[in-house]
Amino acid sequence: MTSLTNLIISAIAAAWVLAIALLSVQNATLVSLKFLVWRSIELPWGLILAGAVGIGFLVGGWLSLLGNNFNTIKRR
């Protein structure tokens, strides 16, 4: 049950980070991401950074949930 709580807390934190990034205009420098031949549209640096942190929170919470499930299976 604790890992599900961690996942929910991570999702709320990610939502707040994304909301703050959308409302902030402090760093309005436009950048675009490049990966191999793919190039994204130009977005503010703060929005890209906050999105990356939010995705990291979600993935970390998800991995925590999976890790606890594997530990439970091994102990049985």
Side-chain angles (χ1 to χ4, degrees):
M1 187 73 165
T2 319
S3 57
L4 183 59
T5 304
N6 288 343
L7 182 63
I8 292 170
I9 290 171
S10 296
I12 291 170
W16 273 109
V17 168
L18 290 174
I20 290 169
L22 289 173
L23 296 175
S24 77
V25 291
Q26 289 178 345
N27 191 356
T29 304
L30 297 177
V31 295
S32 63
L33 300 175
K34 295 179 187 177
F35 180 72
L36 298 176
V37 295
W38 179 77
R39 185 175 177 174
S40 71
I41 60 172
E42 291 188 348
L43 296 169
W45 176 248
L47 183 63
I48 292 174
L49 184 61
V53 169
I55 291 170
F57 280 147
L58 290 174
V59 169
W62 183 69
L63 289 176
S64 171
L65 183 64
L66 281 178
N68 285 341
N69 285 342
F70 286 129
N71 288 338
T72 305
I73 292 170
K74 288 180 181 178
R75 290 182 185 166
R76 288 185 181 175

